[in-house]
Amino acid sequence: MPTYRKFIFVCNGSDCKKSGCKNLQSEIKELIKSEDHKGKFKIIKTKCMDFCKSAPVVVINNEVIKKADLTDLKKKML
Ligand code: FES
């Protein structure tokens, strides 16, 4: 089993789905396939994390990213 450096938790609750979490998740998947990130990250889909008003919500490095977008996440993945 690969050893991941970080886990990326992507909320898949209903409000986050309405706010584009599926697209965001696809973008993250593409990003972590790149040479810089290959094998270092694992995406975990979660249920609602109770930050629905700030959807889409992602947790990385134990930090809750509200209204997450790929630009925010790239900074956190360094
Ligand atoms: S649906 Fe994502 S935080 Fe509630």
Side-chain angles (χ1 to χ4, degrees), residues 11-17 47-52 55 57:
C11 178
N12 273 248
S14 57
D15 284 336
C16 285
K17 279 184 182 165
K47 293 182 178 178
C48 177
M49 296 191 227
D50 286 337
F51 296 106
C52 309
V57 176

Side-chain angles (χ1 to χ4, degrees), residues 24 27 68-76:
L24 181 59
E27 291 173 343
D69 65 21
L70 201 59
T71 306
D72 298 332
L73 297 174
K74 280 180 181 174
K75 292 177 194 164
K76 303 294 177 188

